[in-house]
Amino acid sequence: MAERRKWKWEENAAELNEVERLKLKKDGLDVIQDIYRWAKSGYESIPEEDFTRLKWAGIYQQRPKDGHFMMRVRIPSGVLDTRQVRVLAELAREYGRGLIDVTTRQSVQYHWLRIEQIPDIFRRLEEVGLHPYEACGDCPRNIVGNPLAGIDPHELIDTRPIVEELERTFLLNRGFSNLPRKYKISVSSNVYNAANAQIHDLAFTPAVKEIAGKEAVGFHVWVGGGLSSRPHMAKQLDLFVLPEQVVEVAVGVTRVFRDYGYRKKRHRARLKFLVADWGAEKFLEVLETYIGPYPSRGKDRLVGWNAGYFTGVHPQKQKGYFYVGLNVPMGRTSAEEFFQLADLVDEYGSGSVRTVNTQNLIIPDVPEERLDDLLAESLLQRLTPYPKPFVGHAVSCTGIQFCNLALTETKGLMRRVVEYLDEQVELDTPIRLHINGCPNSCGQQQIADIGLMGGKMKTVDGMIEAYTVSVGGHLGEGATFNTPLKGRVPADRVAPVLKELILFYKEHREPEEPFWRFVRRVGIDALQRRFDEILSRASAS
């Protein structure tokens, strides 16, 4: 075990929360080497407190805690090559019962893993430059980026080199392996906010500023975003950052969080609470003690919001080449489909695949003359570039099938809901549906047009699964989280209730009015009244 660094908050260790005291006893990264020993001695040999530390290796106990694990694999900015895709497929086939989930942070997840298998998985991932390390835990998680970086007609610069340098800086860095809580970074130069800046602890978005008489391309900086049960929008700092300065600023912000973040109450330990208490101006003052002064803000180049839906065939900035966005229903795919995907990418593309924060996939660099042949391939019948409207705009967390925090089943329910809506409702304006099985927001339900959050509901027949419905989330101009409507919907009534709510929108919207604008124009009170009527009819039927 490496010698542990002493931190200033140890002086009042008795006031720290339980997880903080556990981290002071042994750094989370030390568990990685312990895994090799437990792989030989078996699951029963793992000390109870080390199940928390396993998160630093990217591993969680899988429900129902019977010796199986979930593993999350980092994919910075969602960029993969086909060698990596094939290794991911091989590991899923051999150890994960063939199952692969694409996440809302551009990672992939395995299930059904055993501790005896983990060392081999580590080795084979490392051989192709992939890692599960710090995909979970109180540390910098996978860095989210523009899934179109390098090919995007709407980006100011290619951000892949920046993300790669950030990954090298933070991964397995013991200076940042003991943060107060999880820590999420996004970097994008796409003018449509492709990396959802406002919901990250730290985010960089495109900007320009005149420096020495010339227009410089760089970034504005956002801090303190986050979801979970108490969501916060990130706040923009008054500074302008050149591309070569991003890493220095990211390190500075992370040091501020490490040194000043709250460690007494775990539910208030995220950076968003520190930023909310300090405000952007004080945060910047403290940050400047770490990085020195920077130029003030320039001109924002964000002009709207693409929530990550890149399905279809679209031209790249490279003339004559296109990217093909594939829909992965509810983010769930398989080893077999990943093998097929790798073959198609080698045949029609450039050997690159992109994962998207809407749990989808992109094949870039397809020559125009090869598009028809690619679109005719059998894999693209299920992972279609042209999904029906509702299934094509649905996001789901893992749910109770595997997650110990979840209260409800999610992926199966969302699949049934969107299939029902696609059969019952004709709509020319997409509505984004996100579902979450608990308040922790892995499904990012607060930024959806319509978000579903699972819970329990007492009935005469006992407790049943039910959902809170929230409406109007948006991260573009005037960004806001969606608003919960009062009243829970039993799981078996979600589909018809949403149908009636969406038909109300369809009947009363203005021409080409998106759902989130409709919510703002009509108002929550009017929607609540309509929702109450729908619930009343549903309970009577």
Side-chain angles (χ1 to χ4, degrees), residues 210-271:
E210 185 173 311
I211 297 177
K214 295 183 179 179
E215 184 178 79
V217 173
F219 298 91
H220 284 159
V221 181
W222 305 68
V223 294
L227 297 178
S228 196
S229 58
R230 296 178 64 182
H232 288 63
M233 288 286 181
K235 298 181 179 180
Q236 195 177 94
L237 301 180
D238 187 17
L239 76 166
F240 176 82
V241 178
L242 294 171
E244 61 270 23
Q245 299 170 323
V246 167
V247 172
E248 178 183 59
V249 172
V251 167
V253 171
T254 312
R255 290 175 65 195
V256 172
F257 180 41
R258 180 194 66 196
D259 297 345
Y260 292 93
Y262 303 143
R263 295 178 182 264
K264 293 182 180 181
K265 297 178 180 179
R266 188 147 178 89
H267 67 276
R268 277 185 52 83
R270 288 289 299 273
L271 179 61

Side-chain angles (χ1 to χ4, degrees), residues 133-196:
Y133 312 135
E134 298 182 288
C136 321
D138 298 349
C139 49
R141 303 283 186 92
N142 185 52
I143 301 168
V144 167
N146 177 12
L148 302 179
I151 65 171
D152 188 357
H154 306 295
E155 68 179 358
L156 272 61
I157 59 172
D158 181 356
T159 49
R160 287 175 297 176
I162 296 172
V163 172
E164 290 169 2
E165 188 177 356
L166 285 168
E167 181 78 352
R168 288 192 297 269
T169 299
F170 285 113
L171 183 64
L172 299 177
N173 185 335
R174 288 177 180 268
F176 303 112
S177 60
N178 183 0
L179 301 179
R181 201 67 167 80
K182 57 187 175 183
Y183 183 66
K184 300 177 179 181
I185 302 173
S186 80
V187 181
S188 174
S189 192
N190 173 281
V191 300
Y192 294 107
N193 194 19
N196 295 346

Side-chain angles (χ1 to χ4, degrees), residues 482-525:
N482 53 28
T483 302
L485 299 174
K486 298 176 183 177
R488 285 188 170 181
V489 184
D492 63 358
R493 301 302 299 167
V494 167
V497 166
L498 291 189
K499 172 188 171 182
E500 293 302 314
L501 192 63
I502 292 167
L503 289 177
F504 178 68
Y505 155 70
K506 184 177 179 179
E507 178 182 357
H508 296 284
R509 66 179 178 172
E510 295 180 346
E512 300 183 356
E513 183 177 38
F515 187 83
W516 65 272
R517 284 193 183 278
F518 171 79
V519 171
R520 294 187 188 184
R521 179 176 61 82
V522 172
I524 292 298
D525 289 344

